[in-house]
Amino acid sequence: MQKLQGIAVSPGVAIGEALVMDNEGFRIPRRFVARDAVVDELERLDKAVEAAAWEIARNRDAVARELGAQYGAIFEAHLQMLQDSRLHDELEEMIRQRHYSPEYAVSRTLRRYAQVFQRIESSYLAERANDIFDIEKRLLRHLLGHRREGIAHLTSPVLILAHNLTPSETANLDPKFARGFVTEVGGPGSHTAIVAEALGIPAVVGTGSFLSEVSGGDLVIIDGDKGLVILQPDEETLALYRHEAEENRTLAARLEPLRDLPAETLDGVHVDILGNIEFPYEVDHCVDRGADGVGLYRTEFLYLGSDTEPTEEIHFDAYSRVLNTMNGKPVTIRTFDMGADKMPNMPAMEDERNPCLGLRSIRLALRNLPLFRTQLRAALRASALGNLQIMFPLITTLLELRQAKMVLADVMEDLDEHGIAFNRDLPIGMMVEVPAAVMMLDRFVKEVDFLSIGTNDLVQYTLAVDRSNKDVVQLYNPADPAVLRLIKTSLDVALGANVPINMCGQMSGAPIYTMLLLGLGLRRFSATPAAIPEIKNLVRKVSIDQSKVVAAHAMNMENAREIKSYLTEEMNKALGKTRT
Amino acid sequence: MSEQKVSRSLVVTDPSGVHVRTATAIQAVARRSRSEIQVISACHKAKGTDIWDLLALAAPCGSTITLEAAGPDAGEVLDALAPIFTGDETVLLAALRKK
């Protein structure tokens, strides 16, 4: 058993078979073969060894000819390692006796050899492990041949363990079979994190390097609540997690009937609970959980899935699907919110040393008007089909907001000229996620129809913490009093000016903050669909008066940890849990 | 046929220690010989004909290893093996080339 600590990015527990993808997106397949296939599988292994040996010998001769015999000798060594009788016997035994697939046997055996070298404290030996991985890759390539597939064609439930997943890999996943993610790199803002949350499956990122120690088919537990990954768990740990997974299922089943009940506090105050989505199909998850609308429709996916810029029609099709399914309930489309690095066909920035503070989001939109206008045109056209709102991200100055609104007005005029229908009065809003916007909110409220607090970026910019950096991520804490004060200010200003205000960051989907936020005056929560029942459950168990007391108390405290434990305690009390 | 058992200790002077190509060279010599060969480092005892075993010797430059040979050509084999640990390329290549 081995435990790895990473960053928890999507809650829940998943137990299952590992699907390992190495740095090159190379998939190492399943563990077992059928009993009657053993002879065929052994033959397949022999053929692969033979082919790999031939290839190595050819390399050896070519290198020796071109660079000299001493360089060819390294391939001679690989050849000897590959053709070694002990390796062969060991592989044969695994396939014959334990019915392992040749791929699994190869990966398992060679990785074990490599580990021996990696453990020895000597850099020259650790590098030797690379020789072994090289042999492993060569053999796997011959074994898998044309069946070398990515993760787009899963056929059974797996937990995906990868160095990193590209946006298109994650976007093309079959959610039926992907039950959890672990990536060696990445942070809470990474695409993997967002997709995992969208799919409602547990995910842990930023574990550091560990893939050389697992093989496809190994049993793995992903604890998306604590950010833990457990490789080959022992019986006791497994039993513990099975129990927890079972409890979660029971809780979800218990919360299901809440779907059709109103989100109303004990003292009869109605609260709107909306869903955050990224993919159009997630709108079904919102409907299933009785969401009052889509509070945040992230549109980045449209840009990430392909190598070309999405056309107006692609935007329009996605938006229409969401609007039609929501059937008159509000849908808030946020215009693209990402850096140039993730845009297809856009040159990399020359001087982007600090991407979070760089050319991204609305800043990028205002510098690339054709791109921005395409999205706005599609959104405006879709506004004729339902209750659509447009929201601009990362607004920092009044000038930016005015510019964005001007572009929108210009696109409206254009549509008018062509006689294309759209909703002229559609609500226009902005994200409140930069401290500067909070400070200037009394001015902003005069120029928008609604606001939405984005806590993820607000926390990052307020506390000066890059949450994708595992060395400082522990400093990233939504419960920090400075963050809470900014949230309180935003709510006070918006409510005072009678401008509807929503919260769509991860904080609004975390039940420990629900009472605090209710107490501060928030009446519109937007969260990942999976979190909706839990938030609704809690809303129905508390009163506004009681929440105000909790909020007042929390706002008087001085450090994030104390605030968090106080809020946890109050939440458990409200839920009737005795656990502290 | 005379059965000999001989052993010799030596210091690894190859700047890279016992590396992949050294191991291959030792294996090549051991395979040609009619004696049983063991290579012993501080942490591991390896069979001369087993490449994976030899790779696990973990003997850096400056460490001491012991060679043991038992068989009719034991003495000759040790004479052939010892220079391999100096890292001399010509010795390594000669050991590999003789099939």
Side-chain angles (χ1 to χ4, degrees):
Chain A
M1 185 168 85
Q2 191 185 351
K3 276 191 187 180
L4 302 157
Q5 180 70 54
I7 303 165
V9 291
S10 181
V13 166
I15 303 170
E17 210 174 83
L19 186 151
V20 185
M21 306 264 299
D22 70 9
N23 302 4
E24 292 161 32
F26 200 96
R27 174 181 165 181
I28 297 161
R30 290 175 53 97
R31 185 170 189 161
F32 296 108
V33 296
R35 198 173 291 263
D36 53 12
V38 164
V39 176
D40 291 345
E41 295 292 325
L42 281 171
E43 195 176 316
R44 208 156 64 78
L45 174 69
D46 286 341
K47 278 200 180 128
V49 171
E50 210 173 289
W54 185 80
E55 201 177 81
I56 295 174
R58 204 184 46 178
N59 278 349
R60 175 195 59 195
D61 297 342
V63 169
R65 215 169 31 243
E66 280 159 34
L67 300 171
Q70 66 270 40
Y71 295 100
I74 192 78
F75 287 104
E76 175 62 27
H78 282 195
L79 192 58
Q80 295 302 334
M81 285 151 86
L82 177 69
Q83 291 180 321
D84 182 69
S85 61
R86 190 167 75 156
L87 174 65
H88 185 266
D89 293 347
E90 208 162 324
L91 293 176
E92 185 172 331
E93 195 266 345
M94 281 181 157
I95 297 166
R96 215 182 266 288
Q97 306 299 330
R98 287 190 254 179
H99 303 122
Y100 284 169
S101 70
E103 290 90 350
Y104 182 73
V106 162
S107 143
R108 176 83 199 246
T109 309
L110 290 176
R111 276 164 195 238
R112 211 185 53 233
Y113 287 173
Q115 266 176 53
V116 173
F117 296 128
Q118 281 173 329
R119 278 203 204 105
I120 300 169
E121 299 251 335
S122 158
S123 61
Y124 94 88
L125 276 166
E127 273 176 25
R128 181 166 298 167
N130 291 329
D131 285 311
I132 300 175
F133 290 136
D134 196 45
I135 296 173
E136 182 205 4
K137 278 206 187 101
R138 207 183 280 280
L139 263 179
L140 286 179
R141 206 171 54 236
H142 285 290
L143 278 171
L144 291 166
H146 294 299
R147 297 185 303 141
R148 185 189 164 176
E149 355 175 284
I151 47 175
H153 307 98
L154 300 175
T155 52
S156 64
V158 284
L159 309 186
I160 294 164
L161 314 182
H163 175 66
N164 199 1
L165 290 169
T166 66
S168 57
E169 275 169 347
T170 33
N172 291 325
L173 266 181
D174 186 341
K176 250 200 338 261
F177 296 125
R179 295 286 164 82
F181 288 130
V182 182
T183 57
E184 290 184 328
V185 297
S190 66
H191 200 71
T192 310
I194 291 166
V195 172
E197 210 179 12
L199 296 175
I201 61 177
V204 174
V205 302
T207 56
S209 158
F210 76 98
L211 289 179
S212 59
E213 295 168 45
V214 279
S215 305
D218 280 358
L219 189 64
V220 172
I221 299 173
I222 301 176
D223 180 342
D225 300 316
K226 298 199 192 81
L228 278 177
V229 182
I230 301 165
L231 308 176
Q232 298 183 303
D234 58 29
E235 286 296 318
E236 196 184 333
T237 312
L238 194 59
L240 204 75
Y241 274 102
R242 286 224 164 102
H243 180 70
E244 191 165 319
E246 187 49 45
E247 271 197 342
N248 286 346
R249 259 193 298 277
T250 337
L251 180 68
R254 212 151 39 87
L255 294 178
E256 215 190 309
L258 282 179
R259 192 187 116 152
D260 302 315
L261 297 175
E264 224 172 70
T265 60
L266 290 176
D267 42 1
V269 174
H270 181 80
V271 174
D272 285 328
I273 305 181
L274 304 93
N276 293 344
I277 66 168
E278 167 138 26
F279 303 101
Y281 67 78
E282 285 178 86
V283 74
D284 301 331
H285 301 176
C286 294
V287 173
D288 287 347
R289 290 168 176 95
D292 296 309
V294 172
L296 170 66
Y297 179 7
R298 302 183 174 98
T299 54
E300 290 74 47
F301 162 67
L302 292 162
Y303 299 87
L304 296 170
S306 80
D307 298 330
T308 51
E309 274 165 28
T311 61
E312 186 180 320
E313 285 317 302
I314 290 178
H315 282 287
F316 180 74
D317 288 348
Y319 303 161
S320 333
R321 153 117 206 251
V322 173
L323 281 163
N324 287 333
T325 314
M326 285 319 286
N327 200 15
K329 287 180 176 164
V331 172
T332 306
I333 290 183
R334 180 179 69 184
T335 60
F336 67 81
D337 183 25
M338 57 193 185
D341 57 319
K342 299 204 177 104
M343 282 285 184
N345 297 330
M346 205 171 271
M349 294 296 115
E350 271 174 28
D351 203 14
E352 195 73 298
R353 268 170 296 189
N354 218 335
C356 292
L357 305 180
L359 185 61
R360 53 171 284 219
S361 197
I362 194 69
R363 302 170 185 173
L364 188 65
L366 293 174
R367 293 248 205 120
N368 292 276
L369 291 181
L371 195 72
F372 193 32
R373 290 175 61 103
T374 302
Q375 180 170 35
L376 293 176
R377 257 182 87 98
L380 283 172
R381 279 173 56 204
S383 71
L385 305 172
N387 187 352
L388 183 142
Q389 317 193 341
I390 289 181
M391 174 163 75
F392 301 121
L394 203 75
I395 296 287
T396 309
T397 64
L398 283 158
L399 189 67
E400 266 171 353
L401 174 67
R402 287 173 191 157
Q403 282 176 333
K405 285 176 69 177
M406 260 163 58
V407 177
L408 185 66
D410 198 44
V411 176
M412 284 182 172
E413 215 170 284
D414 205 40
L415 288 176
D416 257 344
E417 273 171 27
H418 291 86
I420 299 168
F422 65 93
N423 173 15
R424 192 170 309 276
D425 302 317
L426 93 166
I428 301 164
M430 63 178 257
M431 296 280 292
V432 180
E433 52 187 343
V434 182
V438 178
M439 300 313 291
M440 296 298 290
L441 209 59
D442 57 327
R443 303 298 171 91
F444 279 113
V445 289
K446 295 181 181 143
E447 307 192 17
V448 292
D449 300 313
F450 68 93
L451 297 164
S452 189
I453 305 175
T455 53
N456 302 0
D457 273 343
L458 186 62
V459 175
Q460 152 162 305
Y461 291 131
T462 305
L463 302 178
V465 173
D466 175 359
R467 64 201 176 109
S468 63
N469 178 341
K470 69 177 166 49
D471 296 320
V472 293
V473 72
Q474 73 281 2
L475 303 173
Y476 176 95
N477 197 332
D480 194 280
V483 175
L484 300 187
R485 283 188 188 193
L486 287 168
I487 291 172
K488 183 176 188 306
T489 305
S490 306
L491 289 166
D492 288 348
V493 173
L495 298 174
N498 241 334
V499 171
I501 184 162
N502 173 37
M503 177 181 283
C504 64
Q506 274 162 345
M507 203 169 170
S508 90
I512 76 160
Y513 301 113
T514 307
M515 291 177 85
L516 168 75
L517 294 170
L518 284 173
L520 292 177
L522 187 71
R523 297 291 178 267
R524 245 176 129 83
F525 293 70
S526 188
T528 177
I532 293 176
E534 230 181 319
I535 301 298
K536 195 193 254 189
N537 180 45
L538 192 51
V539 166
R540 292 173 53 84
K541 286 191 165 146
V542 299
S543 69
I544 294 297
D545 282 347
Q546 176 193 2
S547 302
K548 278 185 179 159
V549 173
V550 169
H553 188 87
M555 293 307 289
N556 256 327
M557 298 171 84
E558 286 175 351
N559 88 62
R561 220 172 53 190
E562 279 170 28
I563 295 174
K564 234 174 166 168
S565 70
Y566 168 71
L567 292 176
T568 309
E569 207 175 294
E570 289 300 319
M571 173 188 72
N572 285 335
K573 265 197 251 168
L575 290 172
K577 284 190 196 168
T578 45
R579 198 177 72 177
T580 50
Chain B
M1 202 161 71
S2 63
E3 278 292 318
Q4 279 183 287
K5 196 168 178 181
V6 289
S7 83
R8 189 185 303 177
S9 287
L10 54 87
V11 174
V12 178
T13 52
D14 185 333
S16 314
V18 176
H19 50 81
V20 177
R21 287 179 300 134
T22 328
T24 320
I26 298 168
Q27 187 201 30
V29 173
R31 279 190 174 169
R32 281 197 299 271
S33 105
R34 286 167 289 147
S35 305
E36 284 273 316
I37 293 157
Q38 307 274 0
V39 185
I40 302 147
S41 71
C43 65
H44 193 70
K45 181 172 180 171
K47 246 174 94 171
T49 49
D50 187 331
I51 183 92
W52 290 101
D53 225 10
L54 291 168
L55 287 171
L57 279 172
C61 184
S63 67
T64 301
I65 55 144
T66 304
L67 302 173
E68 283 179 5
D73 59 352
E76 290 158 52
V77 162
L78 290 199
D79 288 339
L81 285 175
I84 291 175
F85 297 90
T86 62
D88 184 333
E89 286 290 342
T90 39
V91 175
L92 281 181
L93 289 176
L96 286 173
R97 215 169 277 139
K98 277 191 224 148
K99 284 277 156 162

